[in-house]
Amino acid sequence: MDNLGFTRFVVSLKDSDPNKVMARIAASLSAVPTSRCISAWTEAGLPPDGIIKTRIAFEKLLAQSIGDTIRVSLTLPNERKHEEVIVGHKIIDDVAAGRFISVPDFGTGLNIISCPSCSRVENEKFVELAQQVKELTTYAEKYKITIAVMGMRVNGPGETDDADLGLWCGQRR
């Protein structure tokens, strides 16, 4: 960006794995001047796991004063999307007050990645599908398996790279 003459830009990083978010931020900070804006968010999936994963990454970032903006992305029906903002404010308030949670390790068992609902989804059936996948896979919670449930084709290739199984709930073309 500097070579092209851009001096005001935001570095935005996203991953469903809190540790990868941290690793990408660390790599970016070595390549991008710290005066640049860092925007971090996680693609975390269904509550409560999605909230915990988001919190893990943001607690570490905010405690180091990294991040000018954050974005919480959860798999929720549209009428509950405002809960993402509430979760973000709670995390910020808790970190400011020194309240941290113990950090579970999401890398040892079943990991369900699901698309956050946004204007690009082709229908909201993926929310139901993600909930059904979570219910149907409780028997596999001790196995290191990643299942991705996507509501649009745009995020699929990037967010399902590490998935063992990917499901898409979009329209046929």
Side-chain angles (χ1 to χ4, degrees), residues 77-92:
N78 283 336
E79 64 272 6
R80 292 182 52 202
K81 290 304 286 178
H82 68 280
E83 292 176 28
E84 294 174 329
V85 176
I86 294 168
V87 168
H89 280 285
K90 173 99 172 95
I91 293 169
I92 291 168

PDB file of all heavy atoms in Angstrom, residues 77-92:
ATOM      1  N   PRO A  77     -30.035 -15.379  13.874  1.00  0.00           N
ATOM      2  CA  PRO A  77     -31.074 -14.879  12.975  1.00  0.00           C
ATOM      3  C   PRO A  77     -31.051 -13.355  12.975  1.00  0.00           C
ATOM      4  O   PRO A  77     -30.596 -12.728  13.939  1.00  0.00           O
ATOM      5  CB  PRO A  77     -32.375 -15.400  13.584  1.00  0.00           C
ATOM      6  CG  PRO A  77     -32.010 -16.280  14.722  1.00  0.00           C
ATOM      7  CD  PRO A  77     -30.556 -16.131  14.994  1.00  0.00           C
ATOM      8  N   ASN A  78     -31.527 -12.746  11.916  1.00  0.00           N
ATOM      9  CA  ASN A  78     -31.462 -11.285  11.776  1.00  0.00           C
ATOM     10  C   ASN A  78     -32.037 -10.529  12.960  1.00  0.00           C
ATOM     11  O   ASN A  78     -31.498  -9.506  13.361  1.00  0.00           O
ATOM     12  CB  ASN A  78     -32.152 -10.833  10.489  1.00  0.00           C
ATOM     13  CG  ASN A  78     -31.284 -11.098   9.278  1.00  0.00           C
ATOM     14  OD1 ASN A  78     -30.067 -11.183   9.375  1.00  0.00           O
ATOM     15  ND2 ASN A  78     -31.901 -11.242   8.136  1.00  0.00           N
ATOM     16  N   GLU A  79     -33.132 -11.020  13.537  1.00  0.00           N
ATOM     17  CA  GLU A  79     -33.740 -10.288  14.650  1.00  0.00           C
ATOM     18  C   GLU A  79     -32.885 -10.301  15.916  1.00  0.00           C
ATOM     19  O   GLU A  79     -33.151  -9.556  16.854  1.00  0.00           O
ATOM     20  CB  GLU A  79     -35.154 -10.818  14.954  1.00  0.00           C
ATOM     21  CG  GLU A  79     -35.223 -12.246  15.435  1.00  0.00           C
ATOM     22  CD  GLU A  79     -35.333 -13.280  14.318  1.00  0.00           C
ATOM     23  OE1 GLU A  79     -35.239 -12.919  13.126  1.00  0.00           O
ATOM     24  OE2 GLU A  79     -35.513 -14.468  14.648  1.00  0.00           O
ATOM     25  N   ARG A  80     -31.816 -11.101  15.935  1.00  0.00           N
ATOM     26  CA  ARG A  80     -30.920 -11.145  17.103  1.00  0.00           C
ATOM     27  C   ARG A  80     -29.529 -10.586  16.791  1.00  0.00           C
ATOM     28  O   ARG A  80     -28.631 -10.652  17.630  1.00  0.00           O
ATOM     29  CB  ARG A  80     -30.785 -12.591  17.594  1.00  0.00           C
ATOM     30  CG  ARG A  80     -32.074 -13.146  18.190  1.00  0.00           C
ATOM     31  CD  ARG A  80     -31.899 -14.548  18.712  1.00  0.00           C
ATOM     32  NE  ARG A  80     -30.772 -14.664  19.615  1.00  0.00           N
ATOM     33  CZ  ARG A  80     -30.152 -15.825  19.876  1.00  0.00           C
ATOM     34  NH1 ARG A  80     -30.557 -16.949  19.316  1.00  0.00           N
ATOM     35  NH2 ARG A  80     -29.120 -15.858  20.703  1.00  0.00           N
ATOM     36  N   LYS A  81     -29.316 -10.015  15.593  1.00  0.00           N
ATOM     37  CA  LYS A  81     -27.989  -9.530  15.209  1.00  0.00           C
ATOM     38  C   LYS A  81     -27.449  -8.451  16.138  1.00  0.00           C
ATOM     39  O   LYS A  81     -26.242  -8.316  16.298  1.00  0.00           O
ATOM     40  CB  LYS A  81     -27.998  -9.011  13.765  1.00  0.00           C
ATOM     41  CG  LYS A  81     -28.143 -10.100  12.725  1.00  0.00           C
ATOM     42  CD  LYS A  81     -27.093 -11.167  12.834  1.00  0.00           C
ATOM     43  CE  LYS A  81     -25.754 -10.692  12.329  1.00  0.00           C
ATOM     44  NZ  LYS A  81     -24.691 -11.689  12.467  1.00  0.00           N
ATOM     45  N   HIS A  82     -28.321  -7.696  16.779  1.00  0.00           N
ATOM     46  CA  HIS A  82     -27.873  -6.652  17.709  1.00  0.00           C
ATOM     47  C   HIS A  82     -27.069  -7.230  18.875  1.00  0.00           C
ATOM     48  O   HIS A  82     -26.294  -6.523  19.516  1.00  0.00           O
ATOM     49  CB  HIS A  82     -29.089  -5.878  18.242  1.00  0.00           C
ATOM     50  CG  HIS A  82     -29.968  -6.703  19.131  1.00  0.00           C
ATOM     51  ND1 HIS A  82     -30.893  -7.594  18.625  1.00  0.00           N
ATOM     52  CD2 HIS A  82     -30.035  -6.780  20.474  1.00  0.00           C
ATOM     53  CE1 HIS A  82     -31.504  -8.197  19.642  1.00  0.00           C
ATOM     54  NE2 HIS A  82     -31.012  -7.728  20.772  1.00  0.00           N
ATOM     55  N   GLU A  83     -27.213  -8.525  19.130  1.00  0.00           N
ATOM     56  CA  GLU A  83     -26.478  -9.161  20.224  1.00  0.00           C
ATOM     57  C   GLU A  83     -24.965  -9.119  19.989  1.00  0.00           C
ATOM     58  O   GLU A  83     -24.182  -9.133  20.934  1.00  0.00           O
ATOM     59  CB  GLU A  83     -26.951 -10.606  20.415  1.00  0.00           C
ATOM     60  CG  GLU A  83     -28.375 -10.691  20.929  1.00  0.00           C
ATOM     61  CD  GLU A  83     -28.871 -12.124  21.037  1.00  0.00           C
ATOM     62  OE1 GLU A  83     -28.055 -13.053  21.233  1.00  0.00           O
ATOM     63  OE2 GLU A  83     -30.096 -12.319  20.934  1.00  0.00           O
ATOM     64  N   GLU A  84     -24.542  -9.056  18.719  1.00  0.00           N
ATOM     65  CA  GLU A  84     -23.105  -8.944  18.426  1.00  0.00           C
ATOM     66  C   GLU A  84     -22.525  -7.676  19.042  1.00  0.00           C
ATOM     67  O   GLU A  84     -21.421  -7.689  19.607  1.00  0.00           O
ATOM     68  CB  GLU A  84     -22.871  -8.944  16.916  1.00  0.00           C
ATOM     69  CG  GLU A  84     -23.242 -10.245  16.245  1.00  0.00           C
ATOM     70  CD  GLU A  84     -23.154 -10.180  14.734  1.00  0.00           C
ATOM     71  OE1 GLU A  84     -23.378  -9.100  14.150  1.00  0.00           O
ATOM     72  OE2 GLU A  84     -22.871 -11.221  14.128  1.00  0.00           O
ATOM     73  N   VAL A  85     -23.245  -6.579  18.948  1.00  0.00           N
ATOM     74  CA  VAL A  85     -22.786  -5.308  19.510  1.00  0.00           C
ATOM     75  C   VAL A  85     -22.731  -5.398  21.032  1.00  0.00           C
ATOM     76  O   VAL A  85     -21.770  -4.937  21.661  1.00  0.00           O
ATOM     77  CB  VAL A  85     -23.705  -4.146  19.054  1.00  0.00           C
ATOM     78  CG1 VAL A  85     -23.295  -2.841  19.714  1.00  0.00           C
ATOM     79  CG2 VAL A  85     -23.690  -4.018  17.537  1.00  0.00           C
ATOM     80  N   ILE A  86     -23.730  -6.015  21.615  1.00  0.00           N
ATOM     81  CA  ILE A  86     -23.764  -6.176  23.074  1.00  0.00           C
ATOM     82  C   ILE A  86     -22.566  -7.004  23.541  1.00  0.00           C
ATOM     83  O   ILE A  86     -21.897  -6.642  24.516  1.00  0.00           O
ATOM     84  CB  ILE A  86     -25.101  -6.827  23.511  1.00  0.00           C
ATOM     85  CG1 ILE A  86     -26.262  -5.875  23.215  1.00  0.00           C
ATOM     86  CG2 ILE A  86     -25.074  -7.212  24.982  1.00  0.00           C
ATOM     87  CD1 ILE A  86     -27.647  -6.515  23.326  1.00  0.00           C
ATOM     88  N   VAL A  87     -22.285  -8.090  22.834  1.00  0.00           N
ATOM     89  CA  VAL A  87     -21.138  -8.939  23.174  1.00  0.00           C
ATOM     90  C   VAL A  87     -19.841  -8.143  23.055  1.00  0.00           C
ATOM     91  O   VAL A  87     -18.973  -8.203  23.942  1.00  0.00           O
ATOM     92  CB  VAL A  87     -21.092 -10.204  22.283  1.00  0.00           C
ATOM     93  CG1 VAL A  87     -19.753 -10.939  22.416  1.00  0.00           C
ATOM     94  CG2 VAL A  87     -22.255 -11.135  22.618  1.00  0.00           C
ATOM     95  N   GLY A  88     -19.678  -7.381  21.980  1.00  0.00           N
ATOM     96  CA  GLY A  88     -18.469  -6.572  21.798  1.00  0.00           C
ATOM     97  C   GLY A  88     -18.270  -5.576  22.929  1.00  0.00           C
ATOM     98  O   GLY A  88     -17.163  -5.446  23.474  1.00  0.00           O
ATOM     99  N   HIS A  89     -19.332  -4.881  23.303  1.00  0.00           N
ATOM    100  CA  HIS A  89     -19.235  -3.915  24.416  1.00  0.00           C
ATOM    101  C   HIS A  89     -18.890  -4.618  25.725  1.00  0.00           C
ATOM    102  O   HIS A  89     -18.086  -4.104  26.516  1.00  0.00           O
ATOM    103  CB  HIS A  89     -20.540  -3.132  24.568  1.00  0.00           C
ATOM    104  CG  HIS A  89     -20.671  -2.012  23.583  1.00  0.00           C
ATOM    105  ND1 HIS A  89     -19.973  -0.836  23.706  1.00  0.00           N
ATOM    106  CD2 HIS A  89     -21.412  -1.907  22.447  1.00  0.00           C
ATOM    107  CE1 HIS A  89     -20.280  -0.040  22.694  1.00  0.00           C
ATOM    108  NE2 HIS A  89     -21.147  -0.672  21.910  1.00  0.00           N
ATOM    109  N   LYS A  90     -19.474  -5.794  25.954  1.00  0.00           N
ATOM    110  CA  LYS A  90     -19.193  -6.544  27.196  1.00  0.00           C
ATOM    111  C   LYS A  90     -17.722  -6.930  27.257  1.00  0.00           C
ATOM    112  O   LYS A  90     -17.082  -6.799  28.305  1.00  0.00           O
ATOM    113  CB  LYS A  90     -20.085  -7.781  27.257  1.00  0.00           C
ATOM    114  CG  LYS A  90     -19.788  -8.717  28.397  1.00  0.00           C
ATOM    115  CD  LYS A  90     -20.736  -8.502  29.542  1.00  0.00           C
ATOM    116  CE  LYS A  90     -20.581  -9.556  30.616  1.00  0.00           C
ATOM    117  NZ  LYS A  90     -19.702  -9.161  31.679  1.00  0.00           N
ATOM    118  N   ILE A  91     -17.174  -7.406  26.148  1.00  0.00           N
ATOM    119  CA  ILE A  91     -15.754  -7.788  26.121  1.00  0.00           C
ATOM    120  C   ILE A  91     -14.882  -6.568  26.410  1.00  0.00           C
ATOM    121  O   ILE A  91     -13.963  -6.630  27.232  1.00  0.00           O
ATOM    122  CB  ILE A  91     -15.378  -8.436  24.775  1.00  0.00           C
ATOM    123  CG1 ILE A  91     -16.095  -9.780  24.612  1.00  0.00           C
ATOM    124  CG2 ILE A  91     -13.857  -8.616  24.661  1.00  0.00           C
ATOM    125  CD1 ILE A  91     -16.009 -10.372  23.211  1.00  0.00           C
ATOM    126  N   ILE A  92     -15.163  -5.454  25.742  1.00  0.00           N
ATOM    127  CA  ILE A  92     -14.372  -4.233  25.953  1.00  0.00           C
ATOM    128  C   ILE A  92     -14.467  -3.779  27.413  1.00  0.00           C
ATOM    129  O   ILE A  92     -13.451  -3.461  28.047  1.00  0.00           O
ATOM    130  CB  ILE A  92     -14.835  -3.112  25.002  1.00  0.00           C
ATOM    131  CG1 ILE A  92     -14.455  -3.465  23.559  1.00  0.00           C
ATOM    132  CG2 ILE A  92     -14.239  -1.769  25.398  1.00  0.00           C
ATOM    133  CD1 ILE A  92     -15.104  -2.585  22.513  1.00  0.00           C
TER     134      ILE A  92
END
